[in-house]
Amino acid sequence: MQYRRLGRTGVSVSKLCLGAMMFGDWGTKDHDESIRIIHRALDAGINFIDTADIYSDGESEIIVGKALAGGRRDDVVLASKAHMPMGEDPNQRGNSRRWIVREVENSLRRLGTDWIDLYQIHRYDTETDIDETLGALTDLVRAGKVRYVGHSTWPVSAIVEAQWTARERGRERFVCEQPPYSILTRGIEADTLPTLARYGMGVLSYSPLAGGWLTGRYRAGAEAEAPFSAARRRLANRFDLSLPENQRKLQAAEQLAELADKAGMTLVELAIAFVLRHPAITSAIIGPRTMEHLESQLPAADIELPDDVLDRIDEIVAPGVTINPADNGWVSPALLPAARRRP
């Protein structure tokens, strides 16, 4: 396993990051099996684990904490996130100081640790001043509860504003962004990745398999079906085969499967290796639900895609293009119907 610097920090993380979204009620309900998968990933050289409070309503964090107990915690760069609703109370969500300070304590308790290496704001909140969010995160860093701070699926304008605010107000700087990125979801190539590179930020891309589209699970001629897992049911517009944009994803996945076969690799390996090839990417987050999934994904870290394969990928899905905009993960409130109607 190779390691890369996380942005301009002195921390080195593995090219593959173990995403823990599928551990718990959303995926693998057996805690012992989830722990075995985590230990196998660590034994393979992965030193980076990413989870979030919202994953299975905190259960994922509990499982990760169990897996790292007994001496493994010190060798792992542990990341978690906050922002998503954790209850009916309107104050149990978002990017306010009140919620961040409260929720980091909950995550620390569930993870069974005294500190989180990378604490990320899971989504941008247009209604909360970035300085308020950065102020709370800065205090957590100075208190030793958090080592570094990052964000996930933020628009470019917010990324720039946060960097400016940190510099002008003397706040902790966000050191990385976690965006969706795959062969089918290339929108960040146009502006987000160049912006992150200019600020020297790390990039922890998620969903390199496009939520399963690049595993071979979805095939041409298959009947439209409801997503299997609770996590997928939350994202039905990305998987409903009756939608034309998802049919286009299906067609691209078929072409990519043929390309992978000709290149002598699996579609899974092709997809992950593509993400890792981009010079702006620090680490690709994989989210296995089973041991078989993990074993099929680990070899991708050692694959270097030749130029002719990359050229063919660009023909199938052009650079900077996301086939289904829903896969971008964030929609500006300015595009919602209420914001586009006259008063």
Side-chain angles (χ1 to χ4, degrees):
M1 182 67 63
Q2 295 179 343
Y3 302 86
R4 298 170 174 175
R5 285 294 180 94
L6 179 61
R8 291 177 178 166
T9 76
V11 174
S12 294
V13 296
S14 48
K15 287 172 61 175
L16 294 180
C17 173
L18 181 65
M21 187 178 79
M22 300 307 293
F23 299 146
D25 188 59
W26 289 6
T28 304
K29 295 178 173 58
D30 186 330
H31 285 207
D32 289 338
E33 179 61 16
S34 295
I35 291 170
R36 281 191 288 271
I37 295 170
I38 294 171
H39 287 173
R40 170 67 182 109
L42 298 180
D43 292 341
I46 291 178
N47 74 339
F48 197 10
I49 298 178
D50 177 78
T51 185
D53 56 358
I54 190 63
Y55 297 162
S56 295
D57 195 25
E59 188 181 4
S60 170
E61 289 184 321
I62 292 172
I63 292 171
V64 171
K66 289 179 180 179
L68 298 183
R72 288 185 177 259
R73 172 66 185 93
D74 288 344
D75 297 326
V76 169
V77 179
L78 180 58
S80 193
K81 300 183 284 291
H83 166 87
M84 301 297 187
M86 291 296 287
E88 296 299 323
D89 187 327
N91 288 317
Q92 290 182 308
R93 67 193 69 187
N95 301 347
S96 70
R97 169 181 286 273
R98 185 181 191 275
W99 177 239
I100 289 171
V101 171
R102 175 181 172 184
E103 186 59 0
V104 75
E105 296 291 349
N106 291 333
S107 287
L108 288 169
R109 173 178 48 78
R110 288 189 291 259
L111 289 164
T113 185
D114 295 326
W115 82 97
I116 295 170
D117 294 291
L118 175 63
Y119 198 55
Q120 302 156 101
I121 302 303
H122 212 155
R123 289 294 186 274
Y124 178 55
D125 181 356
T126 60
E127 298 183 355
T128 304
D129 191 328
I130 286 179
D131 187 50
E132 176 179 347
T133 302
L134 282 172
L137 294 171
T138 298
D139 289 346
L140 292 174
V141 171
R142 292 174 179 172
K145 296 179 180 180
V146 170
R147 298 291 190 256
Y148 301 98
V149 296
H151 45 59
S152 176
T153 324
W154 277 34
V156 170
S157 61
I159 293 170
V160 174
E161 182 183 355
Q163 292 291 315
W164 181 90
T165 301
R167 183 185 66 188
E168 294 298 311
R169 304 288 178 84
R171 305 299 195 188
E172 282 291 319
R173 188 175 71 90
F174 286 118
V175 303
C176 61
E177 154 68 0
Q178 185 181 136
Y181 185 47
S182 73
I183 299 175
L184 305 182
T185 312
R186 302 183 63 174
I188 64 170
E189 292 176 339
D191 199 9
T192 300
L193 290 182
T195 298
L196 296 170
R198 285 198 299 273
Y199 284 106
M201 298 176 67
V203 184
L204 319 175
S205 60
Y206 68 87
S207 201
L209 302 179
W213 286 93
L214 298 178
T215 63
R217 170 181 168 187
Y218 294 87
R219 308 294 302 193
E223 302 248 342
E225 59 181 336
F228 294 144
S229 70
R232 297 291 177 261
R233 286 195 295 273
R234 298 165 63 91
L235 307 170
N237 58 341
R238 304 184 193 181
F239 299 94
D240 184 350
L241 289 174
S242 69
L243 300 177
E245 52 267 43
N246 288 334
Q247 281 295 320
R248 290 194 291 272
K249 285 164 60 175
L250 190 63
Q251 294 167 6
E254 288 285 330
Q255 293 176 288
L256 291 166
E258 293 177 6
L259 175 62
D261 187 58
K262 291 179 181 178
M265 64 186 73
T266 67
L267 178 57
V268 167
E269 291 168 349
L270 175 78
I272 298 173
F274 168 83
V275 170
L276 291 173
R277 177 66 180 261
H278 197 290
I281 300 297
T282 306
S283 184
I285 300 174
I286 57 174
R289 182 173 52 83
T290 67
M291 188 70 77
E292 181 182 8
H293 291 165
L294 176 64
E295 296 293 355
S296 71
Q297 295 166 21
L298 288 174
D302 298 320
I303 292 177
E304 290 289 338
L305 297 181
D307 289 346
D308 62 322
V309 171
L310 292 169
D311 290 342
R312 177 58 183 143
I313 289 173
D314 288 347
E315 292 173 359
I316 296 170
V317 182
V321 170
T322 294
I323 296 177
N324 182 350
D327 292 325
N328 285 327
W330 187 82
V331 177
S332 171
L335 297 179
L336 298 177
R340 293 184 284 107
R341 304 292 187 258
R342 292 184 177 88

